[in-house]
Amino acid sequence: MIYKRIKAFYFWIFFILSVAFVVLCFCFTKSQNTLWKIRKIWAKTQKYIISYKQELVGSFNPKANMILMNHQSALDIIALEELYPKNLCWIAKKELGEIPLFKIAIKKPKLLCIDRQNPRALVRVLKEAKERLNEDRVLAIFPEGTRSKSEKLLKFQSGAKILSEKLNLKVQPILIVDSAKILDTKNFSTSSGVLKIICMDLVDTRDEKWLENTRKKMQELLDKERAEL
């Protein structure tokens, strides 16, 4: 227990410093391709610091232009940043963009911030999302809206469905199995382990209830994975 706490302490110190370093690098480059490479190197470095392994089941569909994932930990972002073959455009909540350090980390690589309390902001998000898609980027969203602190997925917010319908997107769900057991961003703890990431089939967005049904399928698969551990 003491070893884990010491490890977690040093990891979080390193994590904060590494984010600060990445933000500093961002300040000196305008190339989106270079920024993407910096992000991937950063993510790979975190893997060795945390000392975890990855198990990828299935494959990322090259036709997908939006991926949606369940969310428990910052490790979800770290893992996808390293593994995904295209430049992801994360869609974050507005509050993150108001934190000075994260403001640069979001603005420079042209990520998107969404204000869930302001319906008018959706027009801007749709416009910017279309621009990112035209740059051959893939939108990445956590439809729960925030980290789940239980074994049940939170209700999926409507943002993913609106983006899909307005921009005619092909959506691939990505299930991340219990990332908080490796990196718990709530209790500031870390543990070595294997992070399982499951690439699911493209969603049939012609179904009016595809978002709710996707949540149900992800929950069933997550329960099955946990039962087999």
Side-chain angles (χ1 to χ4, degrees), residues 7-227:
K7 179 183 176 183
F9 173 77
Y10 281 109
F11 166 76
W12 286 109
I13 293 295
F14 174 82
F15 181 80
I16 293 170
L17 291 175
S18 68
V19 170
F21 178 74
V22 167
V23 169
L24 182 63
C25 291
F26 281 5
C27 294
F28 293 96
T29 182
K30 294 182 179 180
S31 167
Q32 287 299 314
N33 190 51
T34 301
L35 291 172
W36 178 36
K37 289 180 180 178
I38 291 172
R39 286 157 50 195
K40 290 188 82 69
I41 292 170
W42 172 81
K44 184 171 290 187
T45 302
Q46 305 305 314
K47 182 175 71 175
Y48 292 112
I49 296 300
I50 301 171
S51 187
Y52 79 98
K53 296 180 180 180
Q54 299 157 339
E55 179 185 354
L56 183 64
V57 179
S59 59
F60 300 114
N61 194 311
K63 294 181 180 180
N65 43 22
M66 183 167 75
I67 60 173
L68 55 84
M69 299 139 291
N70 55 311
H71 191 25
Q72 279 195 341
S73 162
L75 186 58
D76 306 327
I77 297 172
I78 294 170
L80 266 297
E81 277 289 296
E82 180 191 354
L83 293 173
Y84 205 80
K86 286 189 175 183
N87 188 349
L88 291 172
C89 174
W90 294 93
I91 300 175
K93 54 187 178 182
K94 180 180 71 77
E95 290 79 7
L96 283 178
E98 295 173 347
I99 301 173
L101 188 64
F102 284 101
K103 187 174 184 178
I104 299 175
I106 289 174
K107 185 176 181 180
K108 288 291 289 187
K110 298 168 70 174
L111 308 185
L112 299 180
C113 284
I114 187 166
D115 184 354
R116 290 172 293 180
Q117 306 301 321
N118 182 7
R120 294 182 181 179
L122 184 61
V123 176
R124 173 189 56 80
V125 171
L126 285 169
K127 177 177 178 293
E128 293 181 358
K130 188 174 182 178
E131 291 173 356
R132 305 300 181 269
L133 293 168
N134 290 336
E135 295 167 355
D136 196 32
R137 297 181 66 176
V138 174
L139 305 180
I141 188 170
F142 296 117
E144 294 171 282
T146 189
R147 291 192 299 270
S148 173
K149 300 174 184 177
S150 72
E151 293 195 350
K152 295 297 181 183
L153 303 182
L154 301 176
K155 179 182 177 181
F156 283 5
Q157 305 298 315
S158 61
K161 189 172 183 180
I162 293 172
L163 285 167
S164 171
E165 291 176 348
K166 297 293 185 181
L167 301 175
N168 192 28
L169 303 179
K170 295 187 183 299
V171 183
Q172 182 177 28
I174 308 294
L175 182 70
I176 304 173
V177 182
D178 293 340
S179 57
K181 290 184 178 179
I182 296 174
L183 179 62
D184 189 337
T185 43
K186 178 186 177 184
N187 297 315
F188 293 94
S189 65
T190 63
S191 299
S192 299
V194 178
L195 180 65
K196 192 169 188 178
I197 301 169
I198 304 174
C199 300
M200 301 173 65
D201 294 335
L202 287 179
V203 170
D204 182 2
T205 54
R206 293 172 298 179
D207 178 5
E208 289 186 5
K209 295 186 177 181
W210 71 262
L211 188 64
E212 298 93 324
N213 292 336
T214 297
R215 179 193 173 280
K216 182 180 179 181
K217 289 179 182 178
M218 291 176 74
Q219 183 67 64
E220 289 173 350
L221 183 55
L222 184 57
D223 291 340
K224 180 182 177 181
E225 289 294 324
R226 286 168 174 161

